[in-house]
Amino acid sequence: MGRPGGAAGAARGAAAGRRGAGEGLEPALAAGLARQAAGLGGSVLATTSRRSGTAATLAVAAALAGTPHRLHGWGSTGPNPYAGFLAWADIIVATGDSVSMLSEALATAAPLLIAETTEAPRHRRLWRSLYEAGQAHPFTPEAAPFARAPLDEVARVAATIRLRGWL
């Protein structure tokens, strides 16, 4: 079976959220992140969220023109390939404003690169804890793949419940 959308080579997953409450992701920032993800090599499997905004989605599409990619923007027709993108990705780049996207990426074995897109203290604390645990690295121009084990929080919690005799 081939990669989604016929993408070839190593797959770089990119998921874009929003910049802040009530704001879409700035189109220039979205385009810059897409170009940087494309610079990692291989093809790019990209998705934007409802909160990214149409302008950011269009900016990502323009930035990835000429790069092997599959972009699923919010509101695109057909099934949402997000779970498949996570499964196929050799590296995942996610905007750090979405704890959900970070959590979903952490359930895979792919290296997670966080685009630091918010100044929110709670998000920054989360990123710092992930960096310190070796579970993620900042998405910088120098970012490179690294080894990490997927987090399986369901199994960890179940083991704790059994250990405490609660089940």
Side-chain angles (χ1 to χ4, degrees):
M1 171 185 265
R3 296 206 187 264
R12 309 313 187 197
R18 63 183 173 136
R19 185 163 175 96
E23 303 174 27
L25 188 63
E26 294 174 8
L29 175 60
L33 293 173
R35 281 191 296 275
Q36 189 176 340
L40 292 170
S43 55
V44 177
L45 307 174
T47 185
T48 57
S49 76
R50 170 182 52 85
R51 297 180 294 187
S52 300
T54 302
T57 301
L58 293 172
V60 169
L64 293 177
T67 298
H69 74 280
R70 166 78 160 82
L71 171 61
H72 183 83
W74 180 259
S76 294
T77 59
N80 187 335
Y82 178 62
F85 286 3
L86 291 176
W88 277 102
D90 298 308
I91 297 174
I92 297 172
V93 176
T95 53
D97 51 81
S98 174
V99 173
S100 295
M101 286 192 303
L102 298 177
S103 299
E104 292 155 354
L106 289 165
T108 76
L112 172 59
L113 301 175
I114 300 174
E116 298 182 357
T117 54
T118 181
E119 296 296 324
R122 71 181 186 101
H123 290 85
R124 293 199 164 271
R125 283 191 302 273
L126 172 62
W127 307 340
R128 193 169 36 254
S129 71
L130 293 172
Y131 300 154
E132 289 169 1
Q135 288 291 324
H137 290 180
F139 186 42
T140 64
E142 300 79 28
F146 62 96
R148 60 170 288 277
L151 293 182
D152 186 354
E153 293 304 287
V154 172
R156 186 184 64 79
V157 169
T160 300
I161 290 171
R162 281 191 210 97
L163 182 67
R164 294 183 180 178
W166 295 346
L167 181 68

